[in-house]
Amino acid sequence: DQQVKQNSPSLSVQEGRISILNCDYTNSMFDYFLWYKKYPAEGPTFLISISSIKDKNEDGRFTVFLNKSAKHLSLHIVPSQPGDSAVYFCAASPRGAGNNRKLIWGLGTSLAVNP
Amino acid sequence: NAGVTQTPKFRILKIGQSMTLQCTQDMNHNYMYWYRQDPGMGLKLIYYSVGAGITDKGEVPNGYNVSRSTTEDFPLRLELAAPSQTSVYFCASSYPQGEYNTFGSGTRLTVV
């Protein structure tokens, strides 16, 4: 029973174009969402987050959009660069957790940015 | 700052053996976590700690034990290793109201 779903295992885009990674969740108690990036043989690194009181959060080339009614969020990377090639994980935290100590993770989407 | 340091990076265990995965952080974070990641899967929380002397179970605690005697260290103990514990183990830490976890580079464990 996957509460956080990343339905695309992989995505390939051209350098300079937009990458859109999607994430769906089923638990309406989730109110804080994070994206992590992971390179091989390394631990995940935090990328960007969004609270349920917002519908958009931007940080440089990375923007996360949250659609609470659809229980859907997406990560946009513009423009995509070869160094963005990694596995991207969506994670969610339930309301009342106060912080991210009980994150529920998606299975990840492997992004390949081609020069 | 070294961040979160995990040792060893790789280990092969025989069924029934035991071992301790070490994790230490130098950021004075109160919260520490142990996750496992199976091939093609997301991360699953094994145990977490909100401070020295306090630990609690995550989603998949069976077969593991933890202790937190200091703020810096959060070792994970495997007793009676089983093939189902073959995985990559990640330790992480954060401030109580921190926006995100900081992860170590992982320990790849194979049980044969």
Side-chain angles (χ1 to χ4, degrees):
Chain A
D1 176 25
Q2 198 70 22
Q3 296 187 66
V4 176
K5 301 177 184 178
Q6 294 177 257
N7 292 320
S8 298
S10 62
L11 176 67
S12 181
V13 299
Q14 285 299 118
E15 181 178 5
R17 307 294 279 267
I18 184 172
S19 295
I20 300 177
L21 295 90
N22 294 304
C23 179
D24 297 291
Y25 61 96
T26 58
N27 190 338
S28 58
M29 294 294 286
F30 291 150
D31 71 342
Y32 186 65
F33 305 88
L34 305 91
W35 286 94
Y36 282 81
K37 180 168 75 171
K38 186 181 179 305
Y39 293 118
E42 293 184 13
T45 54
F46 171 74
L47 195 55
I48 193 169
S49 63
I50 188 166
S51 164
S52 61
I53 62 173
K54 294 184 174 181
D55 54 17
K56 177 182 174 182
N57 189 27
E58 215 170 337
D59 184 2
R61 296 186 297 113
F62 302 92
T63 303
V64 57
F65 296 92
L66 176 62
N67 182 333
K68 289 186 290 294
S69 61
K71 294 191 178 68
H72 176 82
L73 61 156
S74 60
L75 174 68
H76 293 210
I77 306 174
V78 184
S80 301
Q81 300 174 353
D84 296 329
S85 298
V87 177
Y88 289 77
F89 289 98
C90 173
S93 178
R95 188 174 303 134
N99 54 56
N100 55 6
R101 66 176 176 267
K102 287 189 177 180
L103 291 178
I104 305 298
W105 295 71
L107 300 185
T109 295
S110 179
L111 173 66
V113 180
N114 306 307
Chain B
N1 280 355
V4 178
T5 302
Q6 291 184 237
T7 56
K9 293 194 182 302
F10 304 94
R11 183 72 186 267
I12 298 175
L13 277 183
K14 293 185 178 179
I15 294 171
Q17 286 185 321
S18 61
M19 75 164 293
T20 299
L21 282 67
Q22 301 292 345
C23 175
T24 187
Q25 52 91 9
D26 61 359
M27 298 171 285
N28 203 32
H29 284 168
N30 297 80
Y31 283 32
M32 295 188 74
Y33 319 77
W34 274 105
Y35 290 91
R36 60 177 285 174
Q37 185 189 15
D38 298 332
M41 303 295 286
L43 280 71
K44 300 280 189 185
L45 183 64
I46 305 171
Y47 271 96
Y48 69 100
S49 168
V50 301
I54 306 170
T55 63
D56 205 350
K57 296 178 180 178
E59 297 174 81
V60 289
N62 291 345
Y64 307 95
N65 280 299
V66 293
S67 59
R68 184 95 181 271
S69 56
T70 67
T71 298
E72 295 77 21
D73 300 306
F74 190 40
L76 178 72
R77 178 82 178 162
L78 279 73
E79 305 281 3
L80 298 174
S84 61
Q85 293 178 305
T86 294
S87 191
V88 180
Y89 292 84
F90 291 103
C91 179
S93 70
S94 72
Y95 288 115
Q97 298 303 322
E99 189 178 12
Y100 59 89
N101 292 355
T102 299
F103 281 82
S105 58
T107 295
R108 184 176 294 276
L109 175 68
T110 302
V111 182
V112 296

